[in-house]
Amino acid sequence: RFNPIMFAQTYAPQQLSGLIGNSEVFADIRMWAQAWNQHQQQKPLLLFGPPGVGKTSAAYALAHEFGWSIVEFNASDSRDKETVEKVMLGAAVNAGFDGRKRLILIDEVDGNHGSHDRGGLSALLEVLKQAKNPVIVTANEIYSDKRLAPLRANCKMMQFRRVPAPSIAKFLRDIADKENIDYDAASISALAKNVSGDVRAALLDLETLSSIGKKITLEDVEGSGFREREDNVFSVIRTLFVSTSLSEIRRARMSAEVDHD
């Protein structure tokens, strides 16, 4: 069966230099990590920006590059105070069992608010204040809810912007060449422009088109790209309405090839 996320897994960057776009942000993240390695405690990082631009990938690449272990939490799954205090706080305060520095990744923090939040956000703020390990927090939108203001105040904020189409096109060409995918130059350029700076969506589109088993042409991109994106959105919406599992809903939402809003 065709696996639509294989490219994203295979070509996940192992160092910050392997990510495209936002080069100044990546340089700042590396300096932050170097300060931690020199025993200089730093404020948690808050990486924010649209989906698919490398926020979570940057955290994993950083951990691999510096030889740190990584513990990931999804804030949208941890909305109650007890869970945050028991699980997140322990990981953020205590040393790792293997002796390596531990990076705490708290993903999708903007999903941890609203009517279903049961004290999780206030507990998360305590985690950030008491953390003795490096902490990276990610969010898509950080200014829309005033309740997130204390989070901004307790973190060093770094904004990720959409990746330029030429950078995405070069990235796709490199992968296509490695995978022996036949294509014409116009098709890759069009594919890169269609995703509006979303690298993850570009990889999904490239993998989907390459599964057809022939040369990727401009006609392929123009004829199927937007239709497949629309079909994907409706599939996600169906899952949101019928699923009884929060984790299944979150996986479906993360598979959406458009902005979450």
Side-chain angles (χ1 to χ4, degrees):
R1 184 180 178 184
F2 173 59
N3 179 358
I5 59 172
M6 187 176 295
F7 281 5
Q9 295 171 342
T10 302
Y11 294 100
Q14 300 299 299
Q15 295 188 346
L16 289 172
S17 59
L19 290 153
I20 61 173
N22 294 291
S23 57
E24 292 183 0
V25 176
F26 299 140
D28 289 340
I29 293 174
R30 184 178 285 107
M31 291 178 60
W32 174 84
Q34 289 170 342
W36 271 105
N37 269 357
Q38 295 167 2
H39 309 291
Q40 301 172 16
Q41 184 162 335
Q42 304 292 300
K43 293 178 69 173
L45 292 186
L46 174 52
L47 312 182
F48 69 100
V53 293
K55 301 185 297 294
T56 303
S57 295
Y60 275 90
L62 179 73
H64 189 274
E65 179 176 336
F66 279 76
W68 297 352
S69 62
I70 185 167
V71 181
E72 179 181 357
F73 300 98
N74 191 285
S76 62
D77 284 345
S78 305
R79 294 174 180 268
D80 62 278
K81 181 179 180 180
E82 184 178 3
T83 299
V84 173
E85 289 180 342
K86 280 187 176 181
V87 183
M88 285 191 194
L89 185 58
V93 171
N94 298 319
F97 292 113
D98 57 5
R100 294 188 295 164
K101 194 172 293 296
R102 173 188 288 169
L103 173 63
I104 309 302
L105 170 61
I106 304 173
D107 225 2
E108 296 187 323
V109 74
D110 46 337
N112 190 21
H113 64 279
S115 60
H116 297 291
D117 178 39
R118 298 181 297 277
L121 186 57
S122 60
L124 176 58
L125 290 172
E126 287 303 311
V127 170
L128 299 181
K129 293 176 182 178
Q130 297 184 40
K132 303 300 181 183
N133 294 310
V135 178
I136 289 181
V137 181
T138 73
N140 293 328
E141 174 53 60
I142 201 65
Y143 290 105
S144 60
D145 192 325
K146 63 182 181 181
R147 286 171 291 187
L148 297 177
L151 183 70
R152 300 195 297 268
N154 284 278
C155 294
K156 181 178 181 180
M157 298 177 61
M158 295 188 180
Q159 184 174 8
F160 279 61
R161 302 190 184 278
R162 296 187 183 277
V163 180
S167 298
I168 295 178
K170 182 182 183 303
F171 180 60
L172 295 179
R173 286 194 297 270
D174 290 343
I175 291 176
D177 292 341
K178 291 176 182 177
E179 296 288 333
N180 294 316
I181 298 170
D182 195 10
Y183 62 91
D184 60 44
S187 67
I188 296 297
S189 296
L191 198 159
K193 291 177 181 178
N194 285 352
V195 297
S196 302
D198 187 329
V199 180
R200 182 171 57 226
L203 277 174
L204 288 168
D205 283 355
L206 177 67
E207 190 164 8
T208 300
L209 291 172
S210 68
S211 68
I212 298 173
K214 61 181 182 63
K215 180 177 182 178
I216 300 176
T217 67
L218 182 59
E219 292 180 353
D220 292 329
V221 177
E222 292 177 341
S224 63
F226 290 110
R227 184 180 66 250
E228 287 165 358
R229 196 178 309 282
E230 183 179 76
D231 290 344
N232 172 266
V233 171
F234 279 101
S235 175
V236 170
I237 293 297
R238 281 193 296 270
T239 302
L240 295 180
F241 277 109
V242 304
S243 177
T244 58
S245 164
L246 177 61
S247 60
E248 182 181 354
I249 289 173
R250 179 161 59 84
R251 282 194 299 270
R253 181 167 63 83
M254 291 302 294
S255 73
E257 300 172 13
V258 296
D259 185 277
H260 291 175
D261 290 339

